[in-house]
Amino acid sequence: MQGIIDLHHDIFFFLILILVFVSRILVRALWHFHYQKNPIPQRIVHGTTIEILRTIFPSIIPMFIAIPSFALLYSMDEVVVDPAITIKAIGHQWYRTYEYSDYNSSDEQSLTFDSYTIPEDDLELGQSRLLEVDNRVVVPAKTHLRILVTSADVPHSWAVPSLGVKCDAVPGRLNQISISVQREGVYYGEGSLTYGFQAWREAKGLDFTYDQISGQQ
């Protein structure tokens, strides 16, 4: 997520420079070519130099933007070789199922739980509408995590904008993403694909702390 923020700031800096440059040209043209100052304007039908410049420079700017953008995209697709924790997120209509795969064994009950959106009538003071869930995913901060995303019925999407991640949950297919949270907090996300009347209410609450991993809020 920090790379996305840095790229946004860098691109926005150059956008400000372009805005100032174009605004200066526009204001200068309006000032010097006013009808009172120049009632008989000079008619120029060809300007080879300016036409070449206005074609080359706008084509070079996207190239400078594309180089760091592609580097960021490829770095986001890199999979952590040895993640500390692997969590499987299974999408269902109107709720999610989370499974801590590293803690499942044949002798013990699997660490799996369902996460439902809290109805509006049951919300407590300070809780976010359509974002709070009854069971949050609790994982340690400053740790490399691997999220396996799939679906049990229809296509879904596992997205947390605050972390800069979004992954499609397709039935019969297992996708994976890697995240690394640098500070503690509660991060919210909603399903980005709408299937059914209440599918857009699929909310996820993720709690990143240093505490012991738990399946409860």
Side-chain angles (χ1 to χ4, degrees):
M1 186 60 187
Q2 188 61 39
I4 298 176
I5 295 175
D6 294 339
L7 179 63
H8 171 267
H9 291 170
D10 294 340
I11 294 178
F12 201 81
F13 171 76
F14 290 103
L15 289 179
I16 294 297
L17 295 181
I18 296 173
L19 176 63
V20 173
F21 177 73
V22 175
S23 299
R24 181 183 180 277
I25 295 178
L26 181 61
V27 172
R28 187 175 183 275
L30 294 175
W31 176 262
H32 289 284
F33 293 93
H34 195 268
Y35 71 96
Q36 294 180 352
K37 293 181 175 292
N38 192 11
I40 303 177
Q42 183 179 3
R43 296 185 178 182
I44 301 177
V45 294
H46 292 288
T48 306
T49 303
I50 190 63
E51 290 180 359
I52 293 176
L53 292 178
R54 74 179 185 183
T55 304
I56 293 178
F57 280 103
S59 61
I60 294 178
I61 294 175
M63 294 177 58
F64 282 100
I65 297 177
I67 293 175
S69 299
F70 282 115
L72 180 61
L73 287 175
Y74 282 114
S75 64
M76 292 176 63
D77 287 337
E78 291 182 358
V79 179
V80 179
V81 178
D82 188 17
I85 297 177
T86 299
I87 300 176
K88 186 177 182 180
I90 304 174
H92 301 272
Q93 289 191 10
W94 316 317
Y95 73 97
R96 298 287 173 131
T97 298
Y98 292 97
E99 175 184 306
Y100 288 77
S101 303
D102 297 333
Y103 299 91
N104 293 340
S105 62
S106 58
D107 299 333
E108 300 179 1
Q109 184 179 3
S110 62
L111 186 54
T112 306
F113 61 92
D114 297 331
S115 181
Y116 289 85
T117 306
I118 299 179
E120 298 181 20
D121 298 337
D122 298 336
L123 289 175
E124 298 179 358
L125 183 62
Q127 290 185 336
S128 301
R129 173 178 173 269
L130 299 180
L131 292 177
E132 295 290 345
V133 294
D134 54 357
N135 291 321
R136 291 178 178 174
V137 179
V138 183
V139 295
K142 297 184 179 180
T143 306
H144 290 287
L145 309 172
R146 178 172 58 186
I147 311 295
L148 303 178
V149 183
T150 186
S151 175
D153 38 40
V154 296
H156 298 274
S157 179
W158 196 88
V160 184
S162 300
L163 300 178
V165 294
K166 178 180 179 181
C167 184
D168 293 333
V170 182
R173 181 175 179 179
L174 195 63
N175 296 328
Q176 66 176 351
I177 54 177
S178 301
I179 59 177
S180 178
V181 184
Q182 299 301 319
R183 58 186 178 186
E184 303 176 15
V186 179
Y187 299 82
Y188 295 100
E190 285 188 307
S192 301
L193 300 180
T194 304
Y195 292 91
F197 176 69
Q198 290 183 335
W200 59 278
R201 296 193 177 203
E202 296 173 1
K204 302 172 290 296
L206 287 83
D207 191 357
F208 295 91
T209 66
Y210 289 106
D211 299 334
Q212 183 178 2
I213 300 175
S214 173
Q216 302 295 327
Q217 181 175 347

